[in-house]
Amino acid sequence: MEVARRKEHRAAAAALLFAVVVLGVLAGGAGVRAFEDGTAVYIVTMKQAPVFHRRLNLEKFGSSRVANAGGGGSGGGGGAGDTPSTSVLRRPRHGSAKPMNYGSYLIRLQNLLLKRTLRGEHYIKLYSYHYLVNGFAVVISPQQADKLSRRNEVANVMLDYSVRTATTHTPEFLGLPQGAWVQEGGPQFAGQGVVVGLIDTGIDPTHPSFADDLSTDSYPVPAHYSGICEVTNDFPSGSCNRKLVGARHFAASAITRGVFNASQDLASPSDSDGHGTHTASIAAGNHGIPVVVAGHQFGNASGMAPRAHIAVYKALYKSFGGFAADVVAAIDQAAEDNVDIISLSITPNRRPPGLATFFNPIDMALLSAVKAGIFVVQAAGNTGPSPKSMSSYSPWIFTVGASAHDRVYNNYVVLGNNLTIQGVGLAPGTDGDSMYSLIAAPHALKNNTVSPTEMSLGECQDSSRLDADLIKGKILVCSYSIRFVLGLSSVKQALDTANNVSAAGVIFYLDPFVLGFQLNPTPMRMPGLIIPSSDDSKVFLTYYNDSLVRDETSGRIVRFDAVAKILGGLNPNYGNSAPKVMFYSARGPDPEDNSLSNADILKPNLIAPGSSIWGAWSSLGLDSAEFAGNWRNYFFTAFFFF
C-alpha cells in the first residue's frame, strides 16, 4: 500500500531526518481583527472524512466496501492521484457526463452547506480544505457562525487566530560528519530524495544555498513529490529547480482582513522578511557555501541535510505574521503534494480557545499529516522561562526547545587602567598592542561648541558636526540608546560616521535606559564593539571621564588621556556552554487548556541548538543594514534543528 511504503521510506531515513528540521520564532503576529460590520474569519470543520482518511479506509477495507458504505472512495484532491480503484462518485451530476473525484465532492458539500444554512445571506468563502481536514475558512458574522455550528454535518466552528514566526560549526557540534552523513554517503548525498516542506515567510530563490548546479552528478526531483512552483512578477519562471522543487503562497485570510501590504509582504513565495530563507538554508541548504558578512569570512555553511529538496509554503508575512486559516491551507497543500517533512516555524499568539489546546484546526490538520506518514516538527516557542509557556501542544507533533551552542563570538576592550570589558561585535580588533586615545562624540564637536542636546550626535549619527582633525586616529565613543532598538538610529550610520572622520575604531556604551534587551553581535567593517552591560558601561564611562584633562578656569577639555585597544571578535570561541536551555525557550508542562491544567504530555520532546546559528537571509529582508551579504547570525532568537 502506498501509505505503508511511504512510512517505510521515512523510517529508513529517520536518522537523517533528526538532522534536518529547522524551526524558529522571530516576530509577533497581528491580533485577530473583526471587520467593520462585525464579521470575522471562521474555520469550519465538517464531520465527513477528508480525502486522506478515505484513502486510508480504502487501503484498510478495500474499495468496494468503502463504496458500498459511503457511495465514494478516495482520490487526490482536484483529481491528482485518482486511479480506477480509488475513484469516487464517478457518476454524472446535473446532466453532466464529467466524473467527480472525492475531493471535489467534499468541496461541493461544503458549498451546499453554506448555501442552505446561510440562504440569502452574505458570506465570503476563503479556502476549501479537503485533503487532511474536511472544512473551509469563511468570512461570516457570529450569528452565522452559530447557525453553522448547529448543523449536524459540522464538527467544529472556530474563530481564526493569529500566529507568528517561531551554520558553519553546527554539523560538527551535532556529530553529523561522523554520524548521519557517513551513513548516507557523505554530505553530497545526505538527504537525497527527501522533500522538506517549510511553512514560513517564503524563500529567496537566488541564494546559493538553493542552487542545483553545484555538482555534476544526477540530482532528480523526487518522483513522489507533486507540488508546483508559483510564478509571479517577483518570483519569475525559473525560480524553482531540482533543489527548490516547489513554492506557493497563502494569504486569503490576511488579505480579507485588510492587513496585507502588497508592497512589503509580496503576494508570492518570495521572502521579504528573511526568516523563511534562513530556516530553509539551515535545514537543507547546500553544503560548503561561503559565509561572507560585512567583508568578513565566517567559514562555509551547510544545511543539516544538504542534499534534501525544499518545498516552500509561504503563510507568514513580514508586517503582520500570519493567520491560522492560511496556515491550514498551506499544511493541507503540502501533504497533498507528498512532502516527507513539515517544518512549522510558527506558534499561536495565544492559546487557542476550546476544551483542549490541541483541538484546533492547525493541530488537527497536523494529526492527519502524521497519519499520512509525514514527520511534523514545531518550535516550542520563545515565551520562556515561565512554566507552562509551551506553544506547541499536541502529542503527535515533535516539539523542539532551544538550547545553547558551544560556540560564541566575543570581543573585548582593554582600558589603559588594565581593566578588560567584554563586548559584542563581529568586528576586527585594533592593530597590534597599540593603545588608542578615546574620544566621545559630544566632546568632538566642531569649533569647540558645547555638548549637544540632540541624542543623534551622541549616537554618532551625524559626521558633519564633528571635528575630523580632533578624532582622526582615535577610537570614537558613541551612546547606544533606545533609539537603536526602535530603528531611529543604526550601527551602520555610526560606522559611516566613524569612517568619515577617520576614527581608528568605535565603541558603543549602553545607555542606562536600554533595559531588558539582549544585544546581538553586529558585523562591523572597522574595529569596534558594543558593551552590552549597563554596569560595564558605567565602569567604562567612569574611566573615560576621570581621564579627561580640563582647563581649570574654563572647564574646557584640553586633553584626552583615556586610552584603549579593541580585541577582535571575528574568530569563534568554544566552551562548555552546551547543552543548556536558553532563557527564552518555552517550558512545560504542556497546558491542557486556558485554565492551565496539565495535559500530561511531555513537552518539549527535545532541545537543540537555538543560538549562534549562521544561515542564509533574503536579499529583500535586510532590515538591518549592518548585515550585508545575505547571511545572518542570530544569537538570541530561536532557530531549532536536530
Side-chain angles (χ1 to χ4, degrees), residues 200-398:
D200 213 297
T201 64
I203 197 167
D204 181 353
T206 67
H207 198 283
S209 287
F210 313 122
D212 68 349
D213 57 357
L214 302 183
S215 62
T216 58
D217 58 325
S218 176
Y219 187 41
V221 175
H224 68 270
Y225 182 71
S226 59
I228 66 170
C229 189
E230 227 177 88
V231 175
T232 66
N233 289 336
D234 46 43
F235 204 82
S237 177
S239 295
C240 290
N241 53 35
R242 294 173 299 166
K243 180 72 172 181
L244 176 58
V245 295
R248 300 175 185 250
H249 88 285
F250 304 84
S253 181
I255 292 173
T256 303
R257 297 164 182 272
V259 301
F260 191 90
N261 183 333
S263 63
Q264 185 177 17
D265 298 317
L266 304 181
S268 77
S270 186
D271 184 10
S272 62
D273 177 87
H275 182 258
T277 300
H278 195 74
T279 56
S281 73
I282 301 172
N286 288 321
H287 180 73
I289 305 301
V291 178
V292 180
V293 180
H296 307 307
Q297 168 68 256
F298 290 96
N300 295 326
S302 174
M304 300 302 101
R307 195 66 167 176
H309 306 266
I310 296 168
V312 170
Y313 300 85
K314 178 179 174 180
L316 291 102
Y317 297 84
K318 183 181 180 68
S319 66
F320 58 86
F323 296 95
D326 297 326
V327 172
V328 173
I331 295 170
D332 203 52
Q333 188 63 61
E336 187 172 359
D337 291 344
N338 285 319
V339 301
D340 299 289
I341 299 169
I342 291 180
S343 171
L344 287 152
S345 299
I346 66 167
T347 57
N349 282 351
R350 61 183 183 276
R351 291 180 182 85
L355 295 177
T357 52
F358 39 81
F359 289 160
N360 67 79
I362 292 178
D363 287 42
M364 289 295 97
L366 293 174
L367 175 58
S368 288
V370 172
K371 289 182 177 180
I374 298 172
F375 184 73
V376 177
V377 65
Q378 185 179 24
N382 280 4
T383 50
S386 61
K388 300 184 181 180
S389 53
M390 191 63 51
S391 296
S392 175
Y393 316 105
S394 301
W396 48 85
I397 296 173
F398 204 87

Side-chain angles (χ1 to χ4, degrees), residues 401-446:
S403 70
H405 206 289
D406 69 341
R407 176 188 63 188
V408 295
Y409 291 89
N410 289 322
N411 53 0
Y412 302 87
V413 56
V414 180
L415 304 178
N417 59 3
N418 291 324
L419 284 176
T420 299
I421 297 175
Q422 181 176 310
V424 293
L426 297 167
T430 50
D431 291 337
D433 291 328
S434 300
M435 303 293 281
Y436 295 80
S437 296
L438 299 174
I439 184 168
H443 299 155
L445 300 179
K446 290 180 178 179

